[in-house]
Structure formats: structure tokens, C-alpha cells
Amino acid sequence: MKHLIDPTDLTFEETNNIISLAEEIIAHPEYYTARMSGKKLATLFYEPSTRTRLSFTTAMLELGGSVLGFDNPQNSSVSKGETMQDTVRVLGCFADIIAIRHPVEGAPFAAAEVSPVPIINAGDGSHSHPTQTLTDLLTIKREIGRLDNITIGFCGDLRFGRTVHSLIKALARYNGNKVILIAPDDLKLPDYIRNDENLQKTIEFREVSTMEEVMPELDILYMTRVQKERFLDQEEFDRVKDSFVLTLDKLKPAKKSMAVLHPLPRVNEILPEVDSDPRAAYFRQVQCGKFVRMALLSRLLDWKNDPKHVMPEKPVLSAEVCRTYRCSNANCICNKEPVAPYFHKIQDGTVRCSYCDSKARMV
Ligand code: NCD
């Protein structure tokens, strides 16, 4: 069965197939109105959301399917202490496919371990957000016509911004992409991505301290919100919260063809005066999110019993060796709920948690 937990769970071909289907749906929405007739999507949202949950809902409704679930876990048996895995087992009895958002890293991976139906990660902590990535890829393709040979500047909270983490992984699969990181010291991209040898093979990384110095060379400017809810320390948050703000003035030297993306919600990092500039693509991006989720739901259900579409093999360490390690991330599902620990080794020999990618330590 095919789940979508990490962008690389989809092969390069599957990713492009979903993007092409989304474009086909945009061109001929009338052909798809009954595609999911009789099918049910469950949305289990343990964390606030507007766009992601409602675009999943709209996507399923526009395909002729229906939607159930919760947007506040306090209204479900979660408030009685039910584990996330048990809730998923239960919803798997009712729904054909499940989209789950959770504040704890690795929760969707743990959901996929027990689910009888495909699981879609709709955002896990500061880790990953693969459906926003599909949204971003479709938007980039429609705005500038290609997914390779792009210079993209990521600006703002690159430490907790899960959409950035996932999009960098996805862009690394296309040729010639250059990533410019624009963030204050406290909000830099996590090392597990910045130093990933696989990503470095195809992506050229550069770090700068202001957006002004790179504006003329960017094809895409990807703005992000400082993720207040993930800071443990209010003072640290206050220090960085207004770090990088896009104004019309700063946009002046940018290419006419550049597109400004933002996964939204924005707080103050893009002034409203920018909205009327033709390069402001963030509301068109929201529209792409609905179409790409229509394509994703269709494909994951088409592929459910197809042996050609399975999860990639992950070289996990043996159960015996796994018992000798512990994940160093206190906000990982393996340190929150009774799930089996899984660890894998990356090329430089570091052992990492398979749920959340954090470094493991020996116990
Ligand atoms: C993002 C998220 O939830 O990670 N929003 C979204 O899904 N469109 C970004 C954010 O919350 O800042």
C-alpha cells in the first residue's frame, strides 16, 4: 500500500504523475466529479489548520466523495487518553483513506504502521509536510513553467518550517536547482537537511543574511512565518519574530518573472501592499493545493492494491540493534507513545530515528 509520509515516499515518476493529473483536473474539472463517489476521507487534525484540512475536504467533495473526522482532538476519544495509533485503527474501519496532522514528529509514520488504509501526512510537528510540497511543486510549475534549474530563496523560519524541509527534499530530485537560505541564526535549516549528503549531490546550498542581496537572481522567493507554537522560549521567539519582512520596495529589483510563494498563514512577513503585485502567487498557490490534493487522493486509491506502487524500502537497523538506541527528540512519537523504535543509518554513519530523522543516542 502506498502512504505519503515523506515527499520521497513517492517516486520521481509518481510525483510527476500526480502533478500532471492535477493539471489535467484544472483543465477538465467536469471529468472528475464522480471519481471518488462512495469513497470516504477521514481528516484527523490534532493541530490547527485552515487551508490543509479544508482543501482536503473540498478536494474530496469535488471528486464526489465524502469526509469525516475531527479538527479538535478534545472532541474525540483522544481526550479520554486513546493513543493516536488506536484512533487510526478505528478510523481505518470507517474510511478509505486518512489524512493526519499532528504536533508530534513522526506521528503519521506511526499511523501508517497500523493503518489498513493509506495515510497522508498533513504536517507533523516541525518535521515534514509533503502535501504542501506537492502544492508548491504544482505552483512553481504553473508560475515559471519548470521544476529544474531554479534558484529559490527560502526566507524566515527554516528551523521549524516543515514545508521548507519537505520542499527542499523534493527539489533535490530535479536537475540544477539552487537553494539560497535566508534566515537568522536561531532559525537556520536543521543540520540533518543542510548536511544530508544525498541532497548535497544535487542541490547547491548557499546561506545569506538578507533577501535584498539575492533578490535579482531569484526565480522563486519562498516566504515563511516564524512558527511561534514551536518555540519553548518566549524571549527567543520575540527576538526573531520580525526577522524578515517582504515589502514592495524590496521586491523592486526582482525579476519580472519571479514568483513569491508562502504556505500561509502569514503574520507580518509579507506586507499586504505586496498582494497586488503580479508576482505574489500565494493565493494562486492555495488554489493549486486543492487540485493537487484531488490528484493525490485519486492516485493513492488507484494505487492501493497495485504492486507497482509500494512504499520505498528503508534500510532499518535490526530490532536487536534498535533496542540499543534512543531518539534524542523529546517531541518524537517514539518518546510519546508506545510505538516500536526504528532507526536507520545515513551515509556518514550517523544513526537516525526513522520516525522523525533526529539523531539517535546509544543507551
Ligand atoms: C503551514 C503548516 O501548517 O506547516 N501551513 C500550511 O499547511 N499551509 C505553514 C505554517 O503553519 O506556517
Side-chain angles (χ1 to χ4, degrees):
M1 189 161 48
K2 195 89 194 176
H3 305 282
L4 176 57
I5 309 302
D6 181 271
T8 57
D9 290 337
L10 296 172
T11 63
F12 184 64
E13 290 72 27
E14 287 166 344
T15 305
N16 290 327
N17 178 298
I18 289 168
I19 292 169
S20 303
L21 178 59
E23 291 188 297
E24 167 64 23
I25 298 174
I26 293 171
H28 297 289
E30 66 282 7
Y31 295 167
Y32 296 89
T33 52
R35 184 97 202 235
M36 289 284 123
S37 161
K39 299 284 184 201
K40 292 191 273 316
L41 161 72
T43 55
L44 309 188
F45 275 58
Y46 291 75
E47 198 183 57
S49 165
T50 304
R51 264 152 302 276
T52 305
R53 188 175 65 80
L54 294 176
S55 69
F56 265 117
T57 302
T58 316
M60 195 57 172
L61 296 178
E62 289 198 12
L63 291 165
S66 40
V67 185
L68 64 157
F70 55 76
D71 57 7
N72 178 354
Q74 287 318 310
N75 297 337
S76 74
S77 285
V78 173
S79 63
K80 300 179 188 166
E82 184 165 67
T83 64
M84 187 272 312
Q85 282 190 324
D86 277 358
T87 304
V88 166
R89 284 186 179 102
V90 170
L91 265 297
C93 299
F94 305 148
D96 300 283
I97 187 160
I98 296 175
I100 180 166
R101 166 171 287 196
H102 207 288
V104 170
E105 281 117 40
F109 184 105
E113 282 178 343
V114 298
S115 176
V117 299
I119 295 287
I120 301 172
N121 177 3
D124 63 323
S126 57
H127 184 221
S128 198
H129 195 346
T131 66
Q132 183 64 43
T133 297
L134 292 172
T135 302
D136 299 340
L137 292 176
L138 176 63
T139 311
I140 294 172
K141 177 118 188 274
R142 289 178 71 76
E143 292 293 324
I144 65 165
R146 62 181 195 280
L147 289 167
D148 52 10
N149 297 306
I150 295 169
T151 301
I152 178 167
F154 286 98
C155 181
D157 187 347
L158 313 188
R159 174 175 164 201
F160 296 114
R162 55 193 173 193
T163 66
V164 172
H165 307 164
S166 292
L167 182 54
I168 289 176
K169 278 191 186 178
L171 285 173
R173 296 167 129 188
Y174 298 85
N175 291 329
N177 288 330
K178 293 186 186 147
V179 165
I180 303 182
L181 306 166
I182 314 160
D185 279 349
D186 288 339
L187 298 180
K188 279 191 188 309
L189 193 70
D191 282 349
Y192 81 87
I193 303 173
R194 179 72 177 83
N195 300 332
D196 184 309
E197 290 173 9
N198 272 331
L199 295 181
Q200 283 176 349
K201 272 188 211 149
T202 50
I203 287 243
E204 194 185 308
F205 283 107
R206 181 149 54 109
E207 288 184 51
V208 298
S209 43
T210 64
M211 62 175 108
E212 287 90 323
E213 63 198 276
V214 289
M215 196 63 89
E217 59 185 289
L218 298 180
D219 299 306
I220 301 288
L221 173 60
Y222 194 99
M223 297 294 298
T224 61
R225 166 182 77 93
V226 177
Q227 306 261 316
K228 180 177 187 183
E229 67 277 27
R230 315 220 187 269
F231 277 81
L232 295 176
D233 179 346
Q234 179 69 35
E235 263 179 41
E236 192 191 347
F237 171 74
D238 287 338
R239 203 171 51 244
V240 290
K241 71 179 192 308
D242 297 325
S243 290
F244 295 100
V245 177
L246 180 63
T247 61
L248 262 186
D249 216 36
K250 288 188 194 162
L251 205 54
K252 270 192 193 132
K255 291 181 190 167
K256 287 275 165 284
S257 59
M258 187 187 80
V260 181
L261 270 62
H262 190 310
L264 303 179
R266 75 171 142 184
V267 185
N268 62 346
E269 58 281 352
I270 302 180
L271 292 193
E273 64 183 25
V274 177
D275 298 357
S276 52
D277 189 287
R279 290 165 288 195
Y282 29 92
F283 292 112
R284 297 192 288 276
Q285 189 179 357
V286 176
Q287 193 72 17
C288 285
K290 180 191 76 176
F291 288 113
V292 99
R293 289 183 175 97
M294 289 172 80
L296 174 69
L297 290 167
S298 303
R299 284 301 185 236
L300 287 184
L301 287 179
D302 291 346
W303 295 339
K304 192 174 167 203
N305 296 313
D306 184 342
K308 284 205 299 291
H309 298 282
V310 289
M311 293 296 277
E313 289 272 329
K314 290 216 169 121
V316 170
L317 300 176
S318 73
E320 201 186 328
V321 177
C322 283
R323 275 194 289 277
T324 63
Y325 283 99
R326 211 174 161 148
C327 171
S328 58
N329 174 8
N331 194 40
C332 174
I333 192 75
C334 72
N335 287 322
K336 298 268 189 189
E337 287 199 8
V339 297
Y342 290 126
F343 298 99
H344 61 274
K345 238 185 209 151
I346 60 164
Q347 274 167 345
D348 64 359
T350 317
V351 176
R352 295 197 176 272
C353 171
S354 298
Y355 291 96
C356 73
D357 290 308
S358 299
K359 268 191 188 159
R361 54 185 166 76
M362 293 253 299
V363 284

